[in-house]
Amino acid sequence: MRINILSVVLLAILATGCANGVKPMYDYGEYSESFYAMKKDTGEASESEWKTALEDVIQRSDNRGLRVPPGVYANLGYLYLKVNDTKKAVSYFKLEKDIYPEAVIFMNNLISKVKAQG
């Protein structure tokens, strides 16, 4: 009986000790909330808030040594594309495809369309 209790206590301590060192893969910050607000109340103000939230996600990820979550660079590039800042848009599309190889075909298509439009 004493051995079983001791075993359970040791396993609990071991499991708790290991969980403290787990580093998250991504930090989305206020991404979801700001995206929802933008879709709910369309307009320049909500898009500006979403842009700020995306930039914050990138900054927080850099500060914490995490990868920027999938889609963040692409979404930020899209926002720059909407205001005709094609250089920044393409640079963010390239960042997205560099970090996430599965997005290469989609990002290359976007980049080629942007370049074709001038």
Side-chain angles (χ1 to χ4, degrees):
M1 180 71 170
R2 248 181 135 186
I3 293 174
N4 287 339
I5 293 172
L6 184 59
S7 298
V8 170
V9 170
L10 286 175
L11 284 173
I13 291 171
L14 182 63
T16 305
C18 292
N20 291 337
V22 176
K23 185 176 179 180
M25 187 178 288
Y26 306 115
D27 181 359
Y28 277 95
E30 299 296 319
Y31 176 89
S32 296
E33 293 83 359
S34 60
F35 180 73
Y36 175 76
M38 182 193 67
K39 289 298 183 179
K40 184 179 175 193
D41 300 317
T42 58
E44 286 183 34
S46 59
E47 281 188 9
S48 177
E49 288 175 20
W50 192 42
K51 180 178 168 268
T52 302
L54 292 172
E55 291 168 340
D56 183 53
V57 168
I58 293 168
Q59 185 64 44
R60 287 172 56 152
S61 296
D62 288 344
N63 291 345
R64 295 180 67 195
L66 302 172
R67 278 182 15 170
V68 173
V72 171
Y73 284 130
N75 285 317
L76 191 54
Y78 172 71
L79 289 176
Y80 278 111
L81 187 61
K82 284 181 76 171
V83 295
N84 293 320
D85 191 342
T86 57
K87 285 185 180 183
K88 277 190 179 181
V90 169
S91 71
Y92 283 114
F93 292 156
K94 286 180 179 178
L95 284 170
E96 182 76 23
K97 76 176 189 169
D98 288 346
I99 294 176
Y100 297 102
E102 61 272 17
V104 168
I105 294 171
F106 182 58
M107 291 296 107
N108 282 342
N109 285 336
L110 282 175
I111 292 168
S112 65
K113 287 181 180 185
V114 168
K115 288 181 178 180
Q117 289 178 352

